[in-house]
Amino acid sequence: MKKTATRLADGRELIYYDARDDAVRDAVDPRPLDPIATRSEIRHDRLLGDDVAIASHRQARTYHPPADQCPLCPSRPGRPSEIPAPDYDVVVFENRFPSLAGDSGRCEVVCFTSDHDASFADLTADQAGLVLDAWTDRTAELAHHPSVEQVFCFENRGKEIGVTLGHPHGQIYGYPFVTPRTRLMLRSLAEHRERTGRNLFDDVVADELADGRRVVLDGEHWTAFVPYAAHWPYEVHLYPKRRVPDLPALDEAARTEFPQIYLELLKRFDRIFGEGEPPTPYVAGWHQAPYRLADRGEFALHLELFTIRRTSGKLKFLAGSESGMNVFINDVPPEAAAERLREVASK
């Protein structure tokens, strides 16, 4: 991998990740952009104990532009974009409309490919491996950012999820706090250790492998399963078999196998609802240990992948119980979801 860092016209950082060592990235951003002025603010909810980002400037962000005006495609003569080069492999840059910025953290965009009409599942294993390299590099780099406590690399796919740019891309959030979901995991982790003397993540993976009914894929270095208490209609958790706290800690064997396992999962997600159905909307995100956690080795890196589509033409909405009380009601038994994901293995 070759990494080349540069700056856009408004001062934001942009980084090219290339598979070729001889790639030259010297294109200059010609746009007359003013410096970014964000109004991101973190407010603490005293009743719930969590934090909310207030970011009114995001109301002006780009919304479903025509394909020939996509800001994530490479620049063309007379049509400059967020990426000055005429082609690229993988690119990461600071979000022009960040939810978190300055003392409130950092938001970055990850473009998986220059092909506007592709999806992550269309990538080759080498391309997916390069994306993994970019996620890993950004996770390591953001450890030095003074306001970042935890990094979340994720992809939203599909208009149903709320995606406003159709180009295959994801995001990286550097939170200035430990997220509520991670705090819940850490609490359960500590309670399990105190009660049993064992690691909760290790026990969850071992129990799923022993049961077998919810296992979707089981490789040499990764295992993927539908969790026993899945919140979403189709939800898969992907764990490396050697527990590590974050992406930089993965060994070479796990890094090599990851593209095959992950691409297979994504292809199966697109087959869940049968031929002729539109691509399955999903959210996929890496859960990593917070940087300043006392015992980071206890946390287990894993990816969570889920869709809000519960059946053909129907979505799972977060209504009264879910939105009001955070109590999920799942219409699809996890065992049935796992069986379906095993049935639709890619050819």
Side-chain angles (χ1 to χ4, degrees), residues 46 70 74 235 290 313-314 317 322 334:
R46 292 186 292 170
C70 174
E235 176 181 345
K314 296 180 181 178
F317 292 102
E322 291 88 355

Side-chain angles (χ1 to χ4, degrees), residues 40-45 48 50-55 99-100 177:
S40 180
E41 176 188 358
I42 302 296
R43 295 188 180 183
H44 185 70
D45 187 319
L48 297 180
D50 58 13
D51 299 282
V52 177
I54 309 296
S99 303
L100 309 165
F177 48 75

Side-chain angles (χ1 to χ4, degrees), residues 173-191:
Y173 275 22
Y175 295 103
F177 48 75
V178 177
T179 64
R181 187 175 179 86
T182 302
R183 288 205 308 267
L184 289 175
M185 291 184 197
L186 293 174
R187 185 182 69 186
S188 298
L189 182 66
E191 291 173 351

Side-chain angles (χ1 to χ4, degrees), residues 181 185 189 199-206 208-209 217-228 235-245 247 250 254 257-258 261-262 265 285-288 298-305:
R181 187 175 179 86
M185 291 184 197
L189 182 66
N199 181 276
L200 176 59
F201 290 109
D202 292 350
D203 283 358
V204 166
V205 173
E208 291 294 347
L209 287 172
L217 288 170
D218 187 30
E220 184 177 356
H221 303 285
W222 296 85
T223 187
F225 56 85
V226 178
Y228 173 77
E235 176 181 345
V236 175
H237 293 188
L238 177 63
Y239 279 79
K241 289 188 174 179
R242 183 179 71 88
R243 172 166 38 98
V244 294
L247 289 166
L250 285 173
E257 187 183 63
F258 168 77
I261 294 284
Y262 188 50
L265 277 180
W286 287 105
H287 291 261
Q288 307 190 78
E298 281 285 288
F299 194 89
L301 166 77
H302 64 283
L303 180 140
E304 297 187 8
L305 167 69

